[in-house]
Amino acid sequence: MTTGASTPTYPARPRRSRVRTFLPLGIAAWLVLEIWLLTVVAGAASGFAVFLLLVAGFVLGSVVIKRAGRRAFQNLNEALQRGGAPSSSGSGGNGLMMLGGLLLMIPGLLSDAVGLLLLVPPVQKAVGRYAERTFDRRIRAAAPGTLGDAFQQARMQRPDGKVVQGEVIVRDEPGGDSSREQRPPLTR
């Protein structure tokens, strides 16, 4: 039955990205695989051996994270004393080493294997290059007003050679546009 009134049109809902759609499914599959692998290894060896493997992974992961964090802090300290930016040559793998240590600390044999793989220097370099290329590509393709645009702010060169980041703010001249309403001050 039609009443003659038009049906309201709602704006189309934005599509969910593939990552947001499949990430929960991937995490669930990872957890099921980890539990299944732990039960298989516990059946082949013993539950105590699996427990020792998990404890050893946790201890090794904490040592790796502590070492990578200490090295990153040392690089930052040296860069601040020099008065420049931290060099990417010495600190390039610290983030991936911390990620490898975190994966070692997570209980599970598959996460331990991926964590150990991230501790190998050639793998770190390959993953680091891939992540940098992907990040650069996404920043260049970012639309204005997004997080990627925040990285492309205006820069000002000072006479002493230092670069100062900032944003350009354009203010209307007084008396230029009288059609805008006058607002009271925010403070009382």
Side-chain angles (χ1 to χ4, degrees), residues 74-75 128:
Q74 242 175 1
N75 289 342

Side-chain angles (χ1 to χ4, degrees), residues 149-160:
D149 187 44
F151 290 106
Q152 298 174 353
Q153 294 178 353
R155 290 177 180 249
M156 180 178 78
Q157 191 80 21
R158 291 179 46 183
D160 58 357

Side-chain angles (χ1 to χ4, degrees), residues 78-90:
E78 290 171 2
L80 288 175
Q81 287 175 356
R82 281 192 320 258
S87 64
S88 61
S89 62

Side-chain angles (χ1 to χ4, degrees), residues 166-179:
E167 294 182 23
V168 177
I169 300 174
V170 179
R171 295 184 182 207
D172 294 328
E173 293 190 25
D177 187 15
S178 61
S179 64

Side-chain angles (χ1 to χ4, degrees), residues 90-102:
S91 63
N94 289 334
L96 290 174
M97 279 187 71
M98 287 184 189
L99 179 63
L102 180 66

Side-chain angles (χ1 to χ4, degrees), residues 56-175:
F58 185 83
V59 170
L60 179 64
S62 63
V63 167
V64 166
I65 287 178
K66 184 177 180 180
R67 181 174 170 219
R70 185 177 292 141
R71 190 175 350 155
F73 186 72
Q74 242 175 1
N75 289 342
L76 180 65
N77 229 358
E78 290 171 2
L80 288 175
Q81 287 175 356
R82 281 192 320 258
S87 64
S88 61
S89 62
S91 63
N94 289 334
L96 290 174
M97 279 187 71
M98 287 184 189
L99 179 63
L102 180 66
L103 286 172
L104 282 170
M105 290 177 73
I106 294 174
L109 299 177
L110 197 58
S111 62
D112 288 352
V114 173
L116 285 173
L117 195 61
L118 279 177
L119 297 181
V120 178
V123 174
Q124 282 181 358
K125 287 182 183 178
V127 171
R129 274 185 264 138
Y130 174 75
E132 188 175 350
R133 279 195 315 259
T134 304
F135 183 74
D136 286 343
R137 191 177 331 116
R138 291 197 183 223
I139 290 298
R140 285 190 190 112
T146 61
L147 179 64
D149 187 44
F151 290 106
Q152 298 174 353
Q153 294 178 353
R155 290 177 180 249
M156 180 178 78
Q157 191 80 21
R158 291 179 46 183
D160 58 357
K162 294 182 181 175
V163 176
V164 179
Q165 285 189 340
E167 294 182 23
V168 177
I169 300 174
V170 179
R171 295 184 182 207
D172 294 328
E173 293 190 25

Side-chain angles (χ1 to χ4, degrees), residues 31-43 50 108-111:
L31 289 174
V32 167
L33 189 60
E34 288 278 15
I35 292 170
W36 176 76
L37 194 56
L38 283 173
T39 58
V40 167
V41 172
V50 171
L109 299 177
L110 197 58
S111 62

